[in-house]
C-alpha cells in the first residue's frame, strides 16, 4: 500500500463515523480530497458542508454537495480533516496546505474532530514538520523577530497567500514539547492570525491508514 492508498483507506473508513442528514465540517488537503470523492461516490446523505478553504468549496460544489457558512449551521456534529503531524494525545500540526485559520474556526465549532491521516503522520513528538504561522503581511518582520526570540527560525512561504489574504511563516526550531502552552504563546504575538498547533482543538479520534487498512485510534 502506498501513501495515497493509506490516505484513501482512512478517508473511506471515516464515512462510518459521520452522522446522516446533518451539516459537517470538511477540511483541506489530499486526504480530504479522498473523503470528498467517497462522499460523492456513495451519495452520502449529508445536508451540506462547511469548507475550510476555497479549494475544498470548489471540490464539494463539483461533487454536488452544498457549501454553507458557519452562520447557517451553528455548531457542527463532526469535522473531518487531515494533519501534517499528530501525536499520541491527538494534538496536531496543521496548515501545510495553508488553510489553518479557517480550519481552527471550524474545529472550534465542532463537537467531534475526526482526523484522517496515513501512518507517516503519527508521531510521538510534534515538531519535525515546520510549524505554519499565519501572519498579517504588514506584521511579517515583527512576527519573525518575535519568533526568533522564542528560538524559532521563520521562513516565508514565498508566492503564497492564504484564502484570507495573509502570509504563512514556516517555523523550525521551536520547542513544541508543551503544545498547549506554545499554541497560546504564539497567538499572543501581535500580527499572528493563528498558528498550526491544534492542541486546544485536538482531534477526538484518529482514523489512521496503515498497510493493514484503516484503524481507529483514541488519545493515549
Ligand atoms: C491543510 C492541512 C492539511 O490537513 C494537512 O496539510 C494534511 O494534508 P494532506 O492530507 O495533503 O497530507 O492542514 O492546511
Amino acid at each position: 500500500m502506498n501513501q495515497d492508498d493509506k490516505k484513501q483507506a482512512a478517508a473511506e473508513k471515516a464515512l462510518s463515523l459521520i452522522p446522516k442528514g446533518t451539516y459537517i465540517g470538511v477540511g483541506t488537503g489530499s486526504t480530504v480530497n479522498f473523503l470528498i470523492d467517497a462522499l460523492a461516490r456513495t451519495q452520502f446523505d449529508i445536508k451540506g458542508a462547511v469548507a475550510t478553504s476555497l479549494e475544498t468549496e470548489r471540490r464539494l460544489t463539483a461533487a454536488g454537495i452544498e457549501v454553507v457558512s458557519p452562520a447557517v449551521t451553528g455548531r457542527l456534529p463532526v469535522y473531518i480533516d487531515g494533519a501534517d503531524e499528530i501525536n499520541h494525545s491527538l494534538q496536531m500540526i496543521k496548515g501545510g496546505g495553508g488553510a489553518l485559520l479557517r480550519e481552527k474556526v471550524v474545529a472550534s465549532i465542532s463537537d467531534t474532530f475526526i482526523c484522517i491521516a496515513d501512518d507517516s503522520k503519527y508521531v510521538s513528538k510534534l515538531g519535525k514538520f515546520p510549524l505554519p504561522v499565519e501572519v498579517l503581511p504588514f506584521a511579517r518582520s515583527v512576527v519573525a523577530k518575535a519568533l526568533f526570540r522564542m528560538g524559532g527560525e521563520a521562513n516565508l512561504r514565498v508566492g503564497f497567500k492564504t484564502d484570507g489574504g495573509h502570509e504563512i511563516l514556516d517555523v523550525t526550531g521551536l520547542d513544541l514539547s508543551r503544545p498547549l502552552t506554545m499554541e497560546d504563546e504564539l497567538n499572543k504575538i501581535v500580527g499572528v492570525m493563528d498558528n498550526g498547533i491544534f492542541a486546544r482543538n485536538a482531534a477526538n479520534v484518529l482514523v489512521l491508514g496503515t498497510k493493514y487498512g484503516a484503524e481507529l485510534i483514541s488519545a493515549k
Side-chain angles (χ1 to χ4, degrees):
M1 255 201 183
N2 64 28
Q3 200 178 5
D4 273 353
D5 294 334
K6 293 176 183 177
K7 288 179 181 193
Q8 187 171 8
E12 289 179 358
K13 174 88 174 176
L15 289 183
S16 62
L17 304 177
I18 300 175
K20 299 232 161 68
T22 66
Y23 291 115
I24 64 169
V26 178
T28 296
S30 54
T31 317
V32 163
N33 291 344
F34 284 117
L35 176 80
I36 297 171
D37 291 347
L39 288 169
R41 198 175 52 247
T42 58
Q43 297 277 291
F44 198 91
D45 171 24
I46 50 169
K47 233 177 173 177
V50 174
T52 62
S53 63
L54 299 178
E55 172 62 14
T56 293
E57 277 186 25
R58 196 187 58 71
R59 284 178 180 265
L60 286 166
T61 305
I65 296 166
E66 190 190 357
V67 176
V68 287
S69 82
V72 171
T73 61
R75 285 199 69 79
L76 296 164
V78 296
Y79 164 41
I80 306 117
D81 201 354
D84 299 300
E85 282 183 350
I86 179 162
N87 69 15
H88 296 180
S89 304
L90 307 192
Q91 299 165 320
M92 296 163 280
I93 289 182
K94 293 181 45 54
L100 66 101
L101 184 53
R102 272 210 201 184
E103 289 173 346
K104 211 168 271 192
V105 172
V106 177
S108 77
I109 58 162
S110 298
D111 294 334
T112 303
F113 187 145
I114 301 167
C115 179
I116 50 178
D118 69 85
D119 54 5
S120 69
K121 311 285 185 69
Y122 192 43
V123 297
S124 51
K125 204 166 146 263
L126 298 178
K128 199 165 167 205
F129 190 89
L131 178 68
V133 176
E134 183 160 346
V135 297
L136 189 73
F138 175 75
R140 183 213 301 164
S141 67
V142 177
V143 173
K145 281 178 196 150
L147 291 167
F148 184 74
R149 287 194 291 275
M150 292 169 76
E153 189 190 326
N155 293 292
L156 177 67
R157 206 177 284 184
V158 178
F160 181 85
K161 280 273 171 76
T162 68
D163 290 344
H166 306 130
E167 292 177 336
I168 300 270
L169 298 174
D170 290 304
V171 184
T172 53
L174 292 173
D175 176 8
L176 302 191
S177 55
R178 292 160 64 220
L180 267 174
T181 308
M182 186 53 87
E183 180 176 1
D184 291 346
E185 286 306 306
L186 291 170
N187 283 350
K188 284 185 196 158
I189 303 171
V190 178
V192 168
M193 309 311 300
D194 216 316
N195 72 85
I197 301 175
F198 281 62
R200 294 233 161 265
N201 295 285
N204 302 97
V205 61
L206 166 63
V207 187
L208 192 69
T210 74
K211 64 180 173 187
Y212 306 109
E215 56 177 292
L216 300 187
I217 295 182
S218 329
K220 298 198 169 58

